[in-house]
């Protein structure tokens, strides 16, 4: 301790500890941190005069907790975070890097239920959705953040703010309830996420978007047309792909109710039909000359697999079909199918496993339309037996990405089987629970972190299970929030990138508008709009890969 330093100065000004504490103070602090358990990074300080009783505690490097703070539940922080005197942090709370929390602020990630008027509120069960706060967030004194809120990166919560709903990245919010009062990062302002305009008529916003998208649809398609090769590319300057041809057909069908104008519809259909390999029934990826490669044998050649979906449904929209069955599935026995299901990486890559099932289910559907009866009951039986009754899904969550793999894998597996075949999914209420929990993960669902795959893989399962009416209010609220975000991702004249555009991701190829992103986000917007009750304003309904109705 330096000369003149008082014993409790560190408790109320913990930022002094690193530079001024003597060896004895450091040793005492080290011993105290060990007594708390959890994971505490280098250079941290936790006042012994704070009430620290969490179920789980993870403090990133150079983070501190001042005297009088009250911590319970689960707290995970990044580096350089501060919890100043008399702040309250309770429930399931995650802080990013460099989050500074002012004195007397309360971050409350739980709530009392009050469903039964005959039972005193304090005796009724608690609920918890969790609170996630992004990187570089300044939270002033006497702020209250309520359960279920996500606070975006580089935002500011002004002193005294009562934050009851999500805060956009880069915004400065204040008041009760908090609303956007200005932008700390003006370039971060994404359309449709301003809290001050949250009451805007959503139906009008949806209808306005659809009108704009239809007016620009031909420009979106022309931008990705390689006239020299007579083929579509996903984005300008990239090689043509099979999927790009199919995405163009789907976009034109959605927005223009016709085939793309670059070629006659019959010519586009004939080309997709010619590309099918008669030996396997698959369509290989295009080579540098724009000709399909020969697919490998077996279930399934990786580059060719998705084309069972994309090319098959594109042909449907053009009023045609493959000339041959999907031979590799028509020739497969039930035992071969089970062997394929068993060897999928359900516990390490549930999305990849669901991808394989989606292709299999679609191949069985296409063959059934030709009178070739495959072991469909074998597939549904295996999936029913292996669904987790706790999550309603297949596979195992991973520490690195939480529920992402199993939710995305559930969408793919259920889309190609239960949804496509018109069958109810197992454990629909658990599916809703799992999806709503996953949607609170700010790593994937902050507006600036969203991509078409992750949002689609939430929207479709919620739509598929909507008939149960389970947690309907929460589903509608989530759909409304994600829909407002999605409408703001459109780039005039170019469409949607696969990933949402944002200054922090400038230069990421996934944010460049292209055909895949446009096709997927248009479908996402329909599902979200239907969940929010405003789909009629779009004037379109997906009829291809992402069709809502069963295909059978």
């Amino acid at each position: 301790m330096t000369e003149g330093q008082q014993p409790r100065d560190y408790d109320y000004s913990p930022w002094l500890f690193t530079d001024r504490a003597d060896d004895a103070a450091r040793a005492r602090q080290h011993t105290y941190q060990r007594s708390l358990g959890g994971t505490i990074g280098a250079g941290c300080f936790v006042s012994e005069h704070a009430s620290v009783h969490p179920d789980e505690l993870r403090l990133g490097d150079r983070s501190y907790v001042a005297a009088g703070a009250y911590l319970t539940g689960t707290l995970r922080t990044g580096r350089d975070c501060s919890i100043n005197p008399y702040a309250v942090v309770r429930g399931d709370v995650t802080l990013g890097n460099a989050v500074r929390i002012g004195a007397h602020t309360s971050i409350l990630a739980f709530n009392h239920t009050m469903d039964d008027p005959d039972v005193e509120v304090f005796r009724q069960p608690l609920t918890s959705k969790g609170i996630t706060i992004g990187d570089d967030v300044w939270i002033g004194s006497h702020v209250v953040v309520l359960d279920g809120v996500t606070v975006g990166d580089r935002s500011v919560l002004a002193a005294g703010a009562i934050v009851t709903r999500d805060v956009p990245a880069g915004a400065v919010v204040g008041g009760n309830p908090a609303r956007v009062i200005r932008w700390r990062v003006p370039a971060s302002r994404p359309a449709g996420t301003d809290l001050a305009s949250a009451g805007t008529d959503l139906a009008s916003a949806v209808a306005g978007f659809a009108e704009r998208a239809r007016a620009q649809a031909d420009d979106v398609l022309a931008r990705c047309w390689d006239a020299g090769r007579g083929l579509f590319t996903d984005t300008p300057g990239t090689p043509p792909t099979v999927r790009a041809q199919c995405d163009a057909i789907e976009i034109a069908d959605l927005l223009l109710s016709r085939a793309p104008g670059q070629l006659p519809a019959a010519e586009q259909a004939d080309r997709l039909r010619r590309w099918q390999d008669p030996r396997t029934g698959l369509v290989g990826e295009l080579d540098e000359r724009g000709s399909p490669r020969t697919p490998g044998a077996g279930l399934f050649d990786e580059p060719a697999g998705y084309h069972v979906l994309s090319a098959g449904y594109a042909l449907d929209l053009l009023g045609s079909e493959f000339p041959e069955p999907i031979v590799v599935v028509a020739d497969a026995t039930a035992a071969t199918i089970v062997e394929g299901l068993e060897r999928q990486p359900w516990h390490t890559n549930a999305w990849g496993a669901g991808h394989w099932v989606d292709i299999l289910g679609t191949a069985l559907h296409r063959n059934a339309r030709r009178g070739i009866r495959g072991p469909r009951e074998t597939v549904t039986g295996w999936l029913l037996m292996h669904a987790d009754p706790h999550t309603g899904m297949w596979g195992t969550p991973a520490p690195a990405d939480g529920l992402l793999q199993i939710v995305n894998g559930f969408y793919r597996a259920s889309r190609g089987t239960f949804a496509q075949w018109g069958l109810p999914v197992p454990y629909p209420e658990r599916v809703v629970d799992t999806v709503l929990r996953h949607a609170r993960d700010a790593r994937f669902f902050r507006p600036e972190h969203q991509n078409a795959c992750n949002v689609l893989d939430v929207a479709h399962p919620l739509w598929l299970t909507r008939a149960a009416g389970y947690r309907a209010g929460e589903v509608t609220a989530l759909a409304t929030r994600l829909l407002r975000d999605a409408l703001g991702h459109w780039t005039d004249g170019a469409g949607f990138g696969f990933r949402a555009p944002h200054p922090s991701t400038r230069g990421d190829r996934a944010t460049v508008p292209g055909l895949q992103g446009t096709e997927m986000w248009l479908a996402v917007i329909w599902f979200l709009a239907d969940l929010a009750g405003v789909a009629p304003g779009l004037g379109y309904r997906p009829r291809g890969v992402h069709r809502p109705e069963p295909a059978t």
Side-chain angles (χ1 to χ4, degrees), residues 92-334:
D92 188 350
V93 177
T94 300
L95 309 181
N97 295 320
V99 176
R100 317 298 276 193
I101 301 172
H104 298 280
T105 280
S106 295
I107 299 175
L108 305 172
F110 68 95
N111 210 340
H112 281 279
T113 56
M114 48 184 173
D115 298 332
D116 190 340
D118 297 323
V119 176
E120 293 164 320
V121 170
F122 84 94
R123 299 183 187 278
Q124 297 196 42
L126 296 176
T127 61
S128 178
K129 300 177 182 177
I131 292 172
T132 301
I133 297 172
D135 298 334
D136 186 21
V137 175
W138 175 24
I139 303 176
S141 297
H142 295 278
V143 171
V144 177
V145 182
L146 298 184
D147 190 29
V149 164
T150 295
V151 178
D153 297 343
R154 298 197 290 173
S155 56
V156 175
L157 312 188
I162 308 298
V163 184
T164 60
R165 56 182 147 204
D166 292 352
V167 176
V172 179
V173 304
N176 179 12
R179 61 181 181 83
V180 174
I181 53 180
R182 66 185 180 87
W183 291 86
R184 177 190 171 202
V185 186
S188 295
R189 178 176 183 167
T193 58
D194 190 336
L195 295 183
S197 64
T200 301
D201 179 11
L202 185 60
S204 297
V206 163
F209 160 77
E211 182 179 356
R212 180 171 52 162
R214 275 190 289 273
Q216 299 176 21
D218 279 321
D219 292 335
V220 170
L221 294 169
R223 175 175 171 272
C224 296
W225 175 247
D226 183 337
R229 301 188 189 190
L231 292 166
F232 285 100
T233 64
D234 182 56
T235 57
T238 58
T241 63
V242 174
R243 179 164 183 170
Q245 318 315 305
C246 303
D247 287 336
I249 291 165
E250 295 235 18
I251 293 165
D253 183 79
L254 277 171
L255 297 179
L256 303 172
S257 300
R258 59 169 171 79
Q262 280 71 18
L263 291 173
E267 187 173 336
Q268 296 182 56
D270 287 345
R271 180 162 59 191
L272 289 176
R273 286 169 54 85
R274 289 197 307 272
W275 284 351
Q276 187 188 31
D277 172 44
R279 182 178 61 91
T280 62
L282 303 177
V283 177
E285 191 53 277
L286 301 184
D287 61 21
E288 59 278 358
R289 298 169 300 172
S291 300
R293 303 179 188 274
T294 301
L299 300 173
F300 288 99
D301 179 77
E302 181 61 29
Y306 190 78
H307 302 154
V308 174
L309 280 67
S310 60
Y313 273 105
L315 284 166
D316 286 348
L317 297 177
L318 295 172
S320 186
E321 63 179 348
F322 284 129
E324 304 291 339
I326 311 302
V327 179
V328 292
V329 173
D331 290 348
T333 64

Side-chain angles (χ1 to χ4, degrees), residues 236-520:
T238 58
T241 63
V242 174
R243 179 164 183 170
Q245 318 315 305
C246 303
D247 287 336
I249 291 165
E250 295 235 18
I251 293 165
D253 183 79
L254 277 171
L255 297 179
L256 303 172
S257 300
R258 59 169 171 79
Q262 280 71 18
L263 291 173
E267 187 173 336
Q268 296 182 56
D270 287 345
R271 180 162 59 191
L272 289 176
R273 286 169 54 85
R274 289 197 307 272
W275 284 351
Q276 187 188 31
D277 172 44
R279 182 178 61 91
T280 62
L282 303 177
V283 177
E285 191 53 277
L286 301 184
D287 61 21
E288 59 278 358
R289 298 169 300 172
S291 300
R293 303 179 188 274
T294 301
L299 300 173
F300 288 99
D301 179 77
E302 181 61 29
Y306 190 78
H307 302 154
V308 174
L309 280 67
S310 60
Y313 273 105
L315 284 166
D316 286 348
L317 297 177
L318 295 172
S320 186
E321 63 179 348
F322 284 129
E324 304 291 339
I326 311 302
V327 179
V328 292
V329 173
D331 290 348
T333 64
T336 302
I337 297 295
V338 170
E339 180 186 351
L341 290 165
E342 294 283 356
R343 71 167 177 263
Q344 295 310 306
W346 295 102
H347 300 296
T348 58
N349 181 8
W351 180 90
H355 171 76
W356 190 89
V357 173
D358 197 358
I359 298 166
L360 173 65
T362 304
L364 288 167
H365 158 65
R366 299 224 159 269
N367 287 350
R369 286 176 28 172
R370 308 174 70 94
I372 301 172
R373 181 175 176 81
R376 204 170 82 172
E377 294 80 3
T378 300
V379 178
T380 54
W382 191 95
L383 292 172
L384 287 168
M385 289 177 58
H386 289 82
D388 184 341
H390 301 290
T391 65
M393 300 186 175
W394 302 280
T396 306
D401 52 16
L403 297 168
L404 180 70
Q405 283 288 329
I406 66 167
V407 171
N408 288 11
F410 175 85
Y411 161 67
R412 291 300 304 273
S414 64
R415 192 222 73 85
T417 56
F418 295 95
Q420 189 167 222
W421 300 342
L423 302 174
V425 296
Y427 311 114
E429 293 187 354
R430 299 294 77 76
V431 170
V432 175
D433 288 337
T434 304
V435 170
L436 290 177
R437 181 181 170 198
H438 172 55
R440 295 196 297 269
D441 193 328
R443 293 175 295 174
F444 310 113
F445 295 101
R446 290 183 204 158
E448 67 273 24
H449 291 175
Q450 293 169 8
N451 68 43
C453 179
N454 292 344
V455 180
L456 174 64
D457 295 0
V458 161
H460 186 273
L462 292 177
W463 189 90
L464 190 61
T465 56
R466 73 200 185 287
Y470 180 64
R471 301 179 70 175
E474 295 172 74
V475 170
T476 300
L478 173 63
T480 299
R481 174 172 68 84
L482 293 176
L483 177 57
R484 286 188 180 277
D485 293 343
L487 297 178
H489 299 333
W490 177 268
T491 298
D492 281 331
F496 289 107
F498 177 76
R499 182 174 179 179
H502 189 265
S504 66
T505 56
R506 191 173 287 125
D508 185 342
R509 288 291 304 172
T511 65
V512 176
L515 298 182
Q516 178 182 349
T518 300
E519 186 275 321
M520 291 186 71

